[in-house]
Amino acid sequence: MVIKILGSGCANCKKLEANAREAVKELGIEATIEKVQNFKDIMAYGVMKTPALVVDEKVKVMGRVPSVEDIKKYL
Protein backbone atom coordinates (compact mmCIF):
# COMPACT_ATOMS: atom_id res chain seq x y z
CA MET A 1 0.00 0.00 0.00
CA VAL A 2 1.25 3.46 -0.86
CA ILE A 3 -0.02 6.45 1.10
CA LYS A 4 0.76 9.94 -0.12
CA ILE A 5 0.44 13.17 1.83
CA LEU A 6 -0.10 16.06 -0.57
CA GLY A 7 0.75 19.53 0.68
CA SER A 8 3.33 22.25 1.09
CA GLY A 9 4.70 21.02 4.41
CA CYS A 10 2.51 23.24 6.59
CA ALA A 11 1.42 22.32 10.12
CA ASN A 12 -1.76 20.61 8.84
CA CYS A 13 0.29 18.56 6.37
CA LYS A 14 2.59 17.42 9.17
CA LYS A 15 -0.41 16.54 11.35
CA LEU A 16 -1.95 14.50 8.52
CA GLU A 17 1.34 12.63 8.07
CA ALA A 18 1.54 11.90 11.80
CA ASN A 19 -2.07 10.68 11.86
CA ALA A 20 -1.46 8.45 8.82
CA ARG A 21 1.65 6.92 10.40
CA GLU A 22 -0.29 6.27 13.63
CA ALA A 23 -3.17 4.64 11.70
CA VAL A 24 -0.75 2.34 9.86
CA LYS A 25 0.94 1.44 13.15
CA GLU A 26 -2.35 0.73 14.94
CA LEU A 27 -3.60 -1.45 12.08
CA GLY A 28 -0.28 -3.27 11.85
CA ILE A 29 -0.17 -3.06 8.06
CA GLU A 30 2.70 -2.59 5.62
CA ALA A 31 2.57 0.79 3.92
CA THR A 32 4.91 3.31 2.36
CA ILE A 33 4.19 6.93 3.25
CA GLU A 34 5.38 9.56 0.79
CA LYS A 35 5.19 13.34 0.90
CA VAL A 36 4.29 15.18 -2.30
CA GLN A 37 5.09 18.89 -2.10
CA ASN A 38 5.40 19.87 -5.77
CA PHE A 39 2.24 21.80 -6.65
CA LYS A 40 2.24 20.52 -10.24
CA ASP A 41 2.21 16.94 -8.92
CA ILE A 42 -0.50 17.82 -6.38
CA MET A 43 -2.70 19.37 -9.06
CA ALA A 44 -2.29 16.22 -11.20
CA TYR A 45 -4.49 14.49 -8.61
CA GLY A 46 -7.17 17.15 -9.06
CA VAL A 47 -6.51 18.44 -5.53
CA MET A 48 -7.19 22.14 -5.08
CA LYS A 49 -7.08 22.27 -1.26
CA THR A 50 -4.36 20.79 0.88
CA PRO A 51 -3.55 18.78 2.82
CA ALA A 52 -4.78 15.72 0.97
CA LEU A 53 -4.57 12.01 1.62
CA VAL A 54 -4.04 9.63 -1.30
CA VAL A 55 -4.21 5.86 -0.82
CA ASP A 56 -3.05 3.67 -3.72
CA GLU A 57 -3.46 6.61 -6.14
CA LYS A 58 -7.04 7.41 -5.03
CA VAL A 59 -7.73 10.74 -3.31
CA LYS A 60 -9.54 9.98 -0.05
CA VAL A 61 -9.55 13.37 1.71
CA MET A 62 -8.65 16.92 0.74
CA GLY A 63 -8.70 20.25 2.51
CA ARG A 64 -8.82 18.88 6.06
CA VAL A 65 -6.94 16.70 8.53
CA PRO A 66 -8.85 13.47 9.22
CA SER A 67 -8.46 11.78 12.59
CA VAL A 68 -6.48 8.58 13.04
CA GLU A 69 -9.78 6.67 13.27
CA ASP A 70 -11.02 8.20 10.00
CA ILE A 71 -7.78 7.33 8.23
CA LYS A 72 -8.05 3.71 9.41
CA LYS A 73 -11.38 3.48 7.54
CA TYR A 74 -9.69 4.58 4.30
CA LEU A 75 -6.93 1.99 4.65
Side-chain angles (χ1 to χ4, degrees):
M1 176 180 301
V2 177
I3 300 168
K4 295 182 181 179
I5 309 299
L6 282 52
S8 63
C10 65
N12 283 339
C13 300
K14 291 175 184 172
K15 179 66 176 165
L16 176 55
E17 180 183 0
N19 286 359
R21 289 188 185 282
E22 183 62 26
V24 167
K25 180 180 166 189
E26 288 182 15
L27 290 172
I29 58 175
E30 295 268 334
T32 302
I33 297 179
E34 302 174 4
K35 290 193 272 185
V36 178
Q37 294 182 307
N38 182 305
F39 282 107
K40 193 173 184 180
D41 295 338
I42 292 169
M43 290 181 69
Y45 285 95
V47 170
M48 302 305 280
K49 293 179 101 180
T50 60
L53 176 71
V54 176
V55 179
D56 290 334
E57 297 303 310
K58 292 187 176 123
V59 178
K60 299 295 186 178
V61 177
M62 73 172 94
R64 67 181 181 87
V65 179
S67 68
V68 172
E69 292 303 314
D70 285 341
I71 293 172
K72 285 177 171 182
K73 295 173 190 170
Y74 300 126
L75 304 181

